[in-house]
Amino acid sequence: MPPIQNLAAWLPGVGKELQVAPASTPDPGENELLIETKAVAVQPAEYKIQEGILPFELTYPTIIGLSFAGIVVKVGAGVTRFKEKDRIVTNSAGTIRNDARFGAYQRYALTSQELTAKIGDVPFENASAISSFYAAVSALILHLHLDRPSSNPNPSNKAKKVLIWGASSSFGAFAVQLASNAGYAVVGVASAHNAQLVESLGAAHFIDRKSPSVVEDLTSLGPFEAVLAAADSASDQVTIGQVLAAHGGGSFLSTMGVRKGVQLPPGVTGHFVQYLDDYLKPENREFSRWVWWSLIEEGLIDGKIKLLPVDILGGLSTVQEAWNLEKNGQVSGRRLIIRPDID
């Protein structure tokens, strides 16, 4: 068999533009899979890595990108759940590993079987849009200590409200579904034009984030069992802080922690968690397998998980354009998808 030719979008360093160039094709090690990458879901965190906003300690040049769908080309020792030609979606945890071989923005990338799910006949582009699901599950269950989604949720959860700010983002959309399926009354906050989308995901209440009465509206709906800021600016955090303060204080999970210059009221705190770390801890192995091999896999194949609409932007040469769109706030209620195989 002739060697597989690989091509990647290389990040030369912090603050530098992406460069599309050849890459070596890796061999999978123990419990690893080599994937022919068919679709990569663009993540807002990626341009923040490029600009140094998120300070990952990476060895440059490197290939980043976490979430992708594709076809298993080769399996390593110890892999029992997947075989060649399986259609899958995965999160490679490449930035956490600091290993370019696991970066999603290349035609052939490595991943581990624990962070991989089969997708049946679901199109690759749609399956890759599941990318933020792992974070929503970790945030709600491991860190906010909410119940797992269930066909028979605890009836008492109906009286408990969960506030999800940024409910139309990918992260937020999955969080709305998870909390709703666990029986909680979800209060979703997003831009007005995404109201129908958020309500279709299971939110019991929708609040326009730009409404002049947003603080009063949210305060009247509280107090909240948990607060997740799935997409939050500095001004959003000020609003969340005011709402929590009106109920005597509290804390919220944020995508980046408390923004520079934001002063939260006394008794109110904001926190950042690196959710991928949860899936790499040995003590969470069964949790990880439940998320990927049961919750995600069954939810995708059975259609129980509602995915955001996707836009295919192009091949590896369009990754920088995708990051610029994310940076400029031009992506809302949809996921941008890169197809590495069309360059």
Side-chain angles (χ1 to χ4, degrees), residues 7 25 32 39 47 62 112 143 159 188 195-196 217 227 255 257 273 278 281 292 297 309 321 323:
L7 189 70
T25 302
E32 294 175 354
Y47 83 80
T62 192
S112 61
H143 298 282
Q196 185 175 0
D217 294 340
V227 179
T255 54
V273 176
D278 294 329
K281 295 176 180 177
W292 285 93
E297 188 168 294
E321 178 186 351
W323 289 358

Side-chain angles (χ1 to χ4, degrees), residues 160-172:
K160 301 175 182 177
K161 293 176 181 176
V162 175
L163 172 59
I164 298 176
W165 190 288
S168 64
S169 67
S170 177
F171 185 9

Side-chain angles (χ1 to χ4, degrees), residues 125-202:
E125 295 83 0
N126 298 88
S128 66
I130 200 74
S131 57
S132 299
F133 195 88
Y134 76 93
V137 182
S138 175
L140 296 186
I141 296 174
L142 294 184
H143 298 282
L144 293 175
H145 309 295
L146 299 183
D147 290 347
R148 294 187 180 193
S150 170
S151 57
N152 296 295
N154 188 334
S156 68
N157 288 346
K158 290 182 179 180
K160 301 175 182 177
K161 293 176 181 176
V162 175
L163 172 59
I164 298 176
W165 190 288
S168 64
S169 67
S170 177
F171 185 9
F174 292 133
V176 170
Q177 294 179 65
L178 287 163
S180 176
N181 290 338
Y184 298 98
V186 176
V187 179
V189 180
S191 297
H193 65 272
N194 286 320
Q196 185 175 0
L197 168 65
V198 174
E199 290 169 347
S200 73
L201 298 172

Side-chain angles (χ1 to χ4, degrees), residues 17-326:
E17 294 279 306
L18 287 170
Q19 298 176 0
V20 177
S24 60
T25 302
D27 280 320
E30 187 171 358
N31 292 318
E32 294 175 354
L33 312 169
L34 177 63
I35 308 299
E36 181 182 359
T37 308
K38 293 296 185 180
V40 182
V42 179
Q43 308 257 27
E46 292 162 359
Y47 83 80
K48 298 171 187 175
I49 293 173
Q50 182 181 39
E51 296 195 347
I53 299 172
L54 291 179
F56 283 95
E57 294 185 4
L58 300 176
T59 302
Y60 294 101
T62 192
I63 306 164
I64 66 172
L66 300 173
S67 303
F68 56 100
I71 300 170
V72 177
V73 174
K74 190 176 181 180
V75 300
V79 174
T80 57
R81 200 171 187 277
F82 301 92
K83 63 183 185 304
E84 292 181 15
K85 299 185 179 179
D86 277 348
R87 303 174 81 255
I88 61 89
V89 65
T90 189
N91 189 309
S92 65
T95 50
I96 300 296
R97 302 177 194 275
N98 186 22
D99 191 333
R101 300 175 304 160
F102 289 81
Y105 291 110
Q106 55 186 321
R107 289 182 176 173
Y108 296 91
L110 291 181
T111 192
S112 61
Q113 69 169 342
E114 279 77 17
L115 301 182
T116 302
K118 298 175 184 178
I119 63 173
D121 295 327
V122 177
F124 294 117
E125 295 83 0
N126 298 88
S128 66
I130 200 74
S131 57
S132 299
F133 195 88
Y134 76 93
V137 182
S138 175
L140 296 186
I141 296 174
L142 294 184
H143 298 282
L144 293 175
H145 309 295
L146 299 183
D147 290 347
R148 294 187 180 193
S150 170
S151 57
N152 296 295
N154 188 334
S156 68
N157 288 346
K158 290 182 179 180
K160 301 175 182 177
K161 293 176 181 176
V162 175
L163 172 59
I164 298 176
W165 190 288
S168 64
S169 67
S170 177
F171 185 9
F174 292 133
V176 170
Q177 294 179 65
L178 287 163
S180 176
N181 290 338
Y184 298 98
V186 176
V187 179
V189 180
S191 297
H193 65 272
N194 286 320
Q196 185 175 0
L197 168 65
V198 174
E199 290 169 347
S200 73
L201 298 172
H205 306 274
F206 176 83
I207 300 295
D208 178 4
R209 63 184 292 271
K210 295 182 180 179
S211 169
S213 62
V214 61
V215 174
E216 293 79 6
D217 294 340
L218 288 173
T219 300
S220 67
L221 288 169
F224 300 101
E225 185 75 9
V227 179
L228 173 65
D232 53 327
S233 64
S235 61
D236 294 333
Q237 294 184 348
V238 171
T239 300
I240 294 170
Q242 292 173 338
V243 172
L244 287 173
H247 289 285
S251 64
F252 64 94
L253 271 184
S254 169
T255 54
M256 291 176 59
V258 179
R259 302 292 182 114
K260 185 177 181 180
V262 172
Q263 295 293 323
L264 295 174
V268 176
T269 56
H271 305 279
F272 167 74
V273 176
Q274 176 53 261
Y275 302 110
L276 261 180
D277 288 345
D278 294 329
Y279 292 86
L280 300 180
K281 295 176 180 177
E283 62 267 30
N284 289 337
R285 182 168 297 164
E286 290 308 312
F287 173 81
S288 299
R289 290 180 174 181
W290 168 70
V291 172
W292 285 93
W293 297 356
S294 179
L295 194 60
I296 290 179
E297 188 168 294
E298 294 172 10
L300 270 178
I301 295 175
D302 296 342
K304 294 178 181 178
I305 298 175
K306 296 180 181 179
L307 304 173
L308 290 182
V310 299
D311 288 342
I312 302 172
L313 197 61
L316 293 171
S317 60
T318 65
V319 177
Q320 187 64 62
E321 178 186 351
W323 289 358
N324 293 341
L325 289 170
E326 293 282 0

